[in-house]
Amino acid sequence: MKLSKMILGTLRDVQGETELESYKLMLRAGIIRKVASGVYNFMPIGKKVIENVNSLIKNEMEKMDSQEIEVAQFIPFELLNQCNNKESSFTDTFEIVDKNQKKFYVGADFKESYIEIIKNEIKSYKQLPVSIYSIQKRIKDETKPKFGIIKSKEFNELQCYIFYDDSLESGKYVNRLCEVFKDIYNKCGLDFIKTNSLKFFVKHPLGEEQVVCCEGCGYKEDLEIATCTLQEKEEDDMKPVNKISTPDTRTIDELASLFNTTPEYFVKTIIYKINSKIVAVMVRGDREVNETKVKSKIGHIVSFELADEEIVRYATSAEIGFAGPINLKCDTLLVDEEITRMRNFMVGANETGYHYECVNYERDFTGTVGDFKKITEKDRCPICGNSINIKNVMGLGEIINLETAYSEDMSAVFLDKLGKSKPMSIIKASINVDRLLALIAEQNHDENGIVWPKRVAPYEVIVIAAVFKNEEQMKTAENIYNKLRSMEIDVLLDDRDERAGVKFKDADLIGVPIRITVGKKISEGKVEFKLRNNGNVEDINIGDIEEKVLNGLHKN
């Protein structure tokens, strides 16, 4: 491609809409252009890069014999609704009604579409396992889009599904997908984290998710899933429950100050409205409720929110800040397992201005015991007991074993070796490709622009004629360009009537791995050769260009 014919659109500077360096660089490199909040156009350079990423992914998927399909963006309401008992809601999905008043969801998760395809095509265990995938647009009503294409309303996404007979070991399919994902991320030049729950992340200070890491044993887990080592059970004698006056003392910190102690001595009761039911969750005073774990315990979630003042007053007969488990009016009481190991703690008395002290689990109240807390860096690793640290991260992708839940809902069955009907087991894997692209740029850039890995870069080589009006330079540059094209190298020729400095700036911005500059030394039969990932400029003979390029691209 000749730059004189191309819409390049590089910018020397952009107004900071986000702290994310990759977003600014992608705007400056002419990769994306903003249409509206969370909506972006991909420009020619951007389209080239994303197609290269897609090609890389497709190559890896084909290695595991996964077949590419394309599913419809319009999903009939009745199809998506078949698995509604497993979904929280469709609040982030766009809906339309056509002229015949038929309701569709647009660009939603394609799970039901995949299952419907396989359900109609696969009838026997002899046809299993089978894997299908697609890379296409997802559309999501993201309420708070940010960080450019990292968190946007529409994005390209890889979705892969493996359908198999559960009489076989699922682990081998999961492991194969893990290896494929690792290969994709490594070839994209990413330093990534894989958690025990098969989620993939990159560390980033602005990340809205967190991962718990243990340097001792290598344990890594999503904060919303991670567990921690429980404290030793306290053996103090149980003291009689005592109601004490605590006027204008509603928060744990206020209580700790009043009694000159630490938040660990108290237990707080948080009240939720879940599926129109009142659910109270108890955690130690210094803890936060892990709402992901609560949702997992409840199961089918239609609605989930903190209770409003009216519900709190009904449940506690008190103002907000005095909730406790004794005589609490609720449908479900969830008690963090840590509380069952405590002795003589303080809770709200369900009476404005009062708390109970010397409260103990089982003697004074009971509930459903489980892990409902968020782990902190004060906790210990659940595997080896060493200290942990918590890192801010951004998500790359995940692998989920859905087992048979969805296939049972949709009657996706097959005949096993005995001729009996069985639901198919399903593994789902996904990668947000737009986010992947942005995170590649985030981890691979310098002060001059993006440093794309070779497999991802929009072009492999850029050839620059330093002086447009120098006929010998222009002719030589075009000869090199044509020669490299004949070698099936993706090459860009900067033949614009611009200063050499402008051309160098643009080459660095768009991140082409190899730059060949035809300048004044052409009279000696030499050109400049430079790799984008280092600052060294080397004078080489024209006759050595082919070998140098192939070595630079590791194609020899």
Side-chain angles (χ1 to χ4, degrees):
M1 183 72 189
K2 294 184 178 181
L3 259 176
S4 59
K5 306 294 183 183
M6 187 176 181
I7 302 171
L8 182 59
T10 53
L11 304 170
R12 290 295 168 257
D13 197 14
V14 294
Q15 294 301 314
E17 179 180 307
T18 171
E19 300 174 62
L20 217 59
E21 194 63 30
S22 59
Y23 175 62
K24 298 174 186 176
L25 287 171
M26 291 175 82
L27 285 174
R28 290 181 58 202
I31 290 171
I32 57 172
R33 288 291 181 263
K34 183 176 178 179
V35 178
S37 180
V39 182
Y40 297 88
N41 288 328
F42 278 86
M43 303 301 283
I45 289 289
K47 182 63 175 174
K48 283 272 292 180
V49 175
I50 205 161
E51 286 301 322
N52 287 344
V53 174
N54 288 345
S55 178
L56 187 156
I57 292 173
K58 289 179 181 182
N59 287 338
E60 296 303 320
M61 298 309 297
E62 287 171 6
K63 288 179 184 178
M64 57 174 285
D65 296 324
S66 192
Q67 302 168 73
E68 185 176 13
I69 64 169
E70 183 168 328
V71 297
Q73 289 284 338
F74 290 80
I75 304 174
F77 171 79
E78 57 271 19
L79 176 59
L80 198 62
N81 202 45
Q82 288 186 48
C83 294
N84 192 23
N85 65 322
K86 301 294 187 299
E87 306 297 335
S88 58
S89 68
F90 303 134
T91 55
D92 62 355
T93 303
F94 287 95
E95 302 175 15
I96 65 166
V97 178
D98 69 11
K99 293 178 181 179
N100 297 316
Q101 299 305 302
K102 185 174 178 63
K103 185 177 179 180
F104 292 89
Y105 290 101
V106 182
D109 184 290
F110 300 117
K111 180 187 333 74
E112 290 79 8
S113 298
Y114 277 90
I115 297 172
E116 186 76 4
I117 288 170
I118 296 301
K119 166 187 172 180
N120 294 325
E121 301 297 330
I122 302 297
K123 303 300 180 185
S124 167
Y125 75 94
K126 295 179 180 178
Q127 297 170 280
L128 295 174
V130 65
S131 175
I132 54 177
Y133 78 95
S134 70
I135 304 174
Q136 59 189 97
K137 284 284 187 184
R138 277 278 311 277
I139 302 173
K140 183 179 181 182
D141 191 6
E142 184 67 65
T143 54
K144 294 182 179 180
K146 61 191 303 186
F147 301 149
I149 62 174
I150 281 183
K151 192 175 181 182
S152 55
K153 290 180 180 291
E154 61 172 335
F155 50 91
N156 294 281
E157 183 176 67
L158 162 72
Q159 286 197 24
C160 173
Y161 286 80
I162 297 177
F163 297 82
Y164 66 99
D165 180 350
D166 68 358
S167 64
L168 301 175
E169 178 56 52
S170 65
K172 67 178 182 180
Y173 305 121
V174 169
N175 292 338
R176 185 70 188 96
L177 276 168
C178 282
E179 292 306 311
V180 166
F181 274 36
K182 288 178 182 179
D183 287 345
I184 290 170
Y185 298 140
N186 285 328
K187 289 173 181 176
C188 286
L190 283 172
D191 180 16
F192 63 92
I193 293 172
K194 181 182 81 70
T195 67
N196 290 19
S197 58
L198 305 179
K199 293 185 177 181
F200 296 81
F201 299 94
V202 295
K203 290 181 285 187
H204 199 286
L206 298 179
E208 295 179 315
E209 298 177 84
Q210 293 180 306
V211 166
V212 176
C213 300
C214 173
E215 299 300 330
C217 67
Y219 173 78
K220 295 181 179 67
E221 192 52 276
D222 185 345
L223 180 72
E224 298 302 315
I225 300 173
T227 60
C228 57
T229 301
L230 289 174
Q231 64 183 28
E232 293 294 325
K233 189 171 184 177
E234 296 177 19
E235 299 296 342
D236 296 348
D237 292 337
M238 294 185 188
K239 298 177 181 179
V241 176
N242 182 38
K243 185 165 73 172
I244 54 177
S245 176
T246 54
D248 302 319
T249 309
R250 301 167 186 269
T251 69
I252 294 295
D253 287 340
E254 288 170 348
L255 284 167
S257 177
L258 177 65
F259 292 95
N260 192 30
T261 185
T262 60
E264 290 93 331
Y265 173 68
F266 306 92
V267 170
K268 55 188 175 185
T269 305
I270 310 299
I271 300 176
Y272 292 87
K273 182 182 177 184
I274 305 176
N275 299 344
S276 300
K277 301 288 187 180
I278 298 175
V279 177
V281 186
M282 297 182 68
V283 293
R284 201 172 68 188
D286 61 325
R287 297 286 194 185
E288 289 184 43
V289 173
N290 188 320
E291 294 183 349
T292 299
K293 293 178 180 178
V294 172
K295 291 176 182 177
S296 177
K297 184 65 177 180
I298 296 295
H300 167 44
I301 301 293
V302 174
S303 61
F304 186 101
E305 59 186 339
L306 280 170
D308 59 24
E309 187 173 352
E310 181 181 354
I311 292 175
V312 171
R313 283 182 178 276
Y314 166 79
T316 66
S317 303
E319 295 177 6
I320 291 175
F322 299 95
I326 301 174
N327 299 320
L328 180 69
K329 295 191 286 289
C330 66
D331 298 289
T332 303
L333 177 63
L334 302 179
V335 182
D336 186 72
E337 57 194 352
E338 194 167 53
I339 294 167
T340 67
R341 294 170 170 257
M342 296 172 65
R343 279 282 191 269
N344 303 318
F345 48 83
M346 185 176 288
V347 298
N350 292 326
E351 183 178 343
T352 302
Y354 289 89
H355 281 76
Y356 285 124
E357 65 176 353
C358 299
V359 173
N360 292 275
Y361 181 72
E362 281 191 324
R363 185 193 71 179
D364 303 313
F365 70 95
T366 59
T368 301
V369 176
D371 180 10
F372 305 115
K373 61 188 170 295
K374 281 188 177 180
I375 191 172
T376 72
E377 289 189 334
K378 294 179 182 178
D379 291 308
R380 312 297 289 183
C381 173
I383 305 300
C384 68
N386 282 325
S387 60
I388 58 170
N389 53 67
I390 297 175
K391 303 179 186 296
N392 286 52
V393 294
M394 293 183 177
L396 276 175
E398 63 181 356
I399 300 168
I400 306 172
N401 192 346
L402 301 174
E403 298 180 333
T404 61
Y406 292 95
S407 55
E408 288 172 358
D409 287 341
M410 295 183 63
S411 299
V413 298
F414 67 97
L415 295 179
D416 67 9
K417 291 181 180 180
L418 300 177
K420 293 182 179 180
S421 181
K422 288 179 60 176
M424 300 179 194
S425 295
I426 305 172
I427 297 170
K428 174 190 175 183
S430 61
I431 296 175
N432 182 329
V433 180
D434 288 15
R435 178 178 294 183
L436 173 64
L437 183 69
L439 291 175
I440 294 170
E442 190 66 23
Q443 285 195 355
N444 296 272
H445 70 266
D446 58 22
E447 67 277 7
N448 297 316
I450 300 170
V451 185
W452 293 114
K454 298 179 181 72
R455 298 287 297 273
V456 175
Y459 293 91
E460 296 173 298
V461 180
I462 183 168
V463 180
I464 296 175
V467 180
F468 176 79
K469 294 180 179 179
N470 186 305
E471 186 176 339
E472 184 181 11
Q473 289 183 19
M474 288 295 296
K475 184 177 179 180
T476 303
E478 186 144 5
N479 288 340
I480 295 170
Y481 166 72
N482 288 327
K483 178 60 178 177
L484 294 176
R485 287 185 71 191
S486 71
M487 297 166 59
E488 297 186 349
I489 289 170
D490 203 359
V491 59
L492 186 62
L493 173 63
D494 194 342
D495 59 340
R496 297 173 297 167
D497 186 6
E498 292 281 3
R499 291 180 292 107
V502 171
K503 296 179 180 182
F504 295 156
K505 283 280 187 183
D506 285 343
D508 283 346
L509 267 178
I510 62 178
V512 180
I514 295 175
R515 188 185 82 198
I516 296 172
T517 305
V518 182
K520 59 184 179 181
K521 289 190 178 182
I522 191 59
S523 59
E524 305 171 22
K526 295 183 180 295
V527 295
E528 289 183 353
F529 182 90
K530 180 181 181 299
L531 298 178
R532 177 66 182 86
N533 60 8
N534 67 52
N536 297 329
V537 178
E538 182 182 358
D539 290 333
I540 65 170
N541 295 320
I542 290 179
D544 295 335
I545 288 176
E546 297 170 29
E547 182 181 356
K548 290 289 291 185
V549 167
L550 291 174
N551 286 337
L553 295 174
H554 301 290
K555 286 187 175 180
N556 55 331

